[in-house]
Amino acid sequence: MDVKIVIGNKNYSSWSLRGWLALKQTGVLFEEVLILLDTPQMHEEILAHSSAGRVPVIIDGDITVWDSLAIVEYLAEKFPEAGLWPSDVAARAHARAVVAEMHSGFTGVRSHYPMNIRREPAERPHDERAAADVTRILAIWNEARARFGVGGDFLYGAFSAADAFYAPVVSRFVTYKVPVDDVARAYMDAVMAHPSMKEWCEAGRAESWIVKADEVD
């Protein structure tokens, strides 16, 4: 296998999940290197693969790509048949916009609802910033489904990079029992039932490592 992906703990690493789901969507065989987060040696171990010092990282022969958005763009170019971006121009533009919004924003949800697949689902009340993010995310999902979702259960019909990017949010909403509307609930069910998402979550639940900062009440 010429392709390698470097990731963090599957239970906690939301950015790793995004890159991993995109890579799985290509169907290519790959090697997986898992680096434990929040350890004294973590940074040094990541630097052995990328000077950016962060996960995920994809290594394809002599090409190294870091940052989940750059990874998606690289994979979409190399494996166009994977359909990581919708084929329709309007849908593709919309998908790129909502992926960029996810990539650069929603810090309220990120901080208040850390990804923790292993956590027993239980409600955690919103704070103000998280509540605003949840409202916006649900609006994105509803708009994408209404305008572009015909022909499948995902944001743009078939599974795409947008679903890979919002999959960790879906996981968070499930973990913390965030109230959602019927459209969002159906979408979340589809994401959680996706074979690649199920594979990741099963592995995450099987992990025993603890990152204390992500273990919230």
Side-chain angles (χ1 to χ4, degrees):
M1 291 180 285
D2 292 332
V3 181
K4 179 189 299 183
I5 185 167
V6 184
I7 58 174
N9 310 44
K10 289 184 175 179
N11 186 56
Y12 302 110
S13 186
S14 58
W15 290 109
S16 295
L17 172 57
R18 293 179 174 100
W20 188 89
L21 284 174
L23 184 55
K24 286 286 284 188
Q25 188 68 11
T26 69
V28 69
L29 294 176
F30 59 89
E31 178 187 353
E32 189 177 289
V33 178
L34 191 149
I35 293 176
L36 299 186
L37 303 177
D38 198 34
T39 64
Q41 66 272 21
M42 176 192 75
H43 190 62
E44 183 178 347
E45 290 178 351
I46 297 174
L47 286 176
H49 302 281
S50 167
S51 60
R54 295 183 178 182
V55 291
V57 181
I58 279 184
I59 302 163
D60 182 9
D62 61 354
I63 297 172
T64 299
V65 188
W66 60 95
D67 186 280
S68 57
L69 185 52
I71 285 170
V72 162
E73 294 289 10
Y74 174 75
L75 294 175
E77 286 184 358
K78 183 164 183 177
F79 304 101
E81 69 282 358
L84 284 170
W85 294 118
S87 58
D88 176 75
V89 173
R92 188 163 64 251
H94 193 273
R96 281 197 159 107
V98 302
V99 164
E101 190 171 353
M102 179 73 254
H103 189 260
S104 63
F106 301 126
T107 56
V109 160
R110 295 183 203 278
S111 60
H112 192 68
Y113 296 124
M115 193 172 88
N116 186 345
I117 293 166
R118 198 172 51 230
R119 181 184 188 270
E120 189 67 27
E123 292 182 10
R124 188 174 201 228
H126 296 330
D127 64 11
E128 186 175 348
R129 291 173 60 240
D133 284 354
V134 169
T135 298
R136 174 58 185 153
I137 289 166
L138 295 181
I140 287 172
W141 291 355
N142 273 264
E143 181 180 11
R145 290 291 300 146
R147 291 182 60 188
F148 306 110
V150 175
D153 296 325
F154 299 100
L155 293 179
Y156 300 90
F159 190 88
S160 72
D163 304 299
F165 262 69
Y166 282 88
V169 175
V170 170
S171 172
R172 287 170 159 102
F173 284 10
V174 170
T175 295
Y176 300 100
K177 291 191 171 181
V178 175
V180 299
D181 55 67
D182 290 344
V183 171
R185 176 60 59 192
Y187 170 63
M188 289 167 58
D189 288 346
V191 171
M192 295 304 294
H194 190 280
S196 296
M197 186 67 170
K198 289 174 69 176
E199 180 182 341
W200 178 280
C201 289
E202 287 170 7
R205 283 189 288 267
E207 292 177 350
S208 59
W209 309 295
I210 301 294
V211 175
K212 291 183 179 179
D214 291 337
E215 295 288 338
V216 298
D217 295 333

